[in-house]
Amino acid sequence: MTRRSAGLLLFRRRPTGPEVLLGHLGGPWWAGRDAGAWSVPKGEYAPPEEAWQAARREFREELGLAPPAGTAVALGETVQAGGKAVTVWAVEADLDPADVVPGTFTMEWPPRSGRTGTFPELDRVAWFGLDAARAALVKGQRAFVDRLAAALEG
């Protein structure tokens, strides 16, 4: 069975061009990385939950904030390198990254040590221009920035 994730990509318009809100992946694996270590706020779901509801639930879980109201722009689906299918919607909204209270997860770290730690889902969030966002995002999510750019142009 294919693993599925859904998320919301917030965007805002600035005089210099659109910006998107991304989260830096939390946990020790991503701690020293920057390029390719950022993500759309998203998370896994399984039927019968619908992708749109999962995207809104995961936004709240990952950022600790209510998902914004507004018109959703469907950005479709991509399949990441590990085989996970990711569906994303863009919503125009603004928020202050300082207001984010990230959710956490627990994992064994270091591997096979028998010790567990609790880590933030996202250890920080920030606004990026579209070109910077493409460089920052994990490879399997870069298409969402291109699709948003096309939707904003059309």
Side-chain angles (χ1 to χ4, degrees):
M1 184 166 140
T2 301
R3 293 174 39 220
R4 300 194 164 278
S5 282
L8 296 180
L9 179 62
L10 295 194
F11 71 95
R12 64 185 185 181
R13 300 170 202 258
R14 292 292 184 249
T16 56
E19 294 179 337
V20 294
L21 185 78
L22 303 178
H24 185 269
L25 295 165
W29 175 256
W30 300 99
R33 302 172 189 210
D34 195 48
W38 293 75
S39 176
V40 172
K42 63 165 186 52
E44 289 192 18
Y45 72 98
E49 185 178 25
E50 297 291 329
W52 172 245
Q53 282 73 34
R56 295 178 56 76
R57 173 183 52 76
E58 286 292 337
F59 186 91
R60 182 181 299 276
E61 288 178 11
E62 295 222 345
L63 301 181
L65 302 170
T71 303
V73 177
L75 300 179
E77 180 179 278
T78 65
V79 178
Q80 296 185 158
K84 183 187 295 184
V86 180
T87 304
V88 170
W89 287 265
V91 176
E92 187 169 5
D94 199 356
L95 67 78
D96 183 346
D99 293 337
V100 170
V101 180
T104 60
F105 67 96
T106 303
M107 66 180 276
E108 182 181 26
W109 192 262
R112 295 178 296 283
S113 67
R115 295 183 305 216
T116 58
T118 301
F119 305 96
E121 296 270 357
L122 301 172
D123 59 22
R124 62 190 181 277
V125 298
W127 289 99
F128 289 82
L130 300 187
D131 288 338
R134 285 181 191 96
L137 275 165
V138 294
K139 187 176 180 180
Q141 296 177 27
R142 293 175 186 161
F144 296 125
V145 173
D146 296 333
R147 293 173 189 172
L148 174 62
L152 293 175
E153 290 172 6

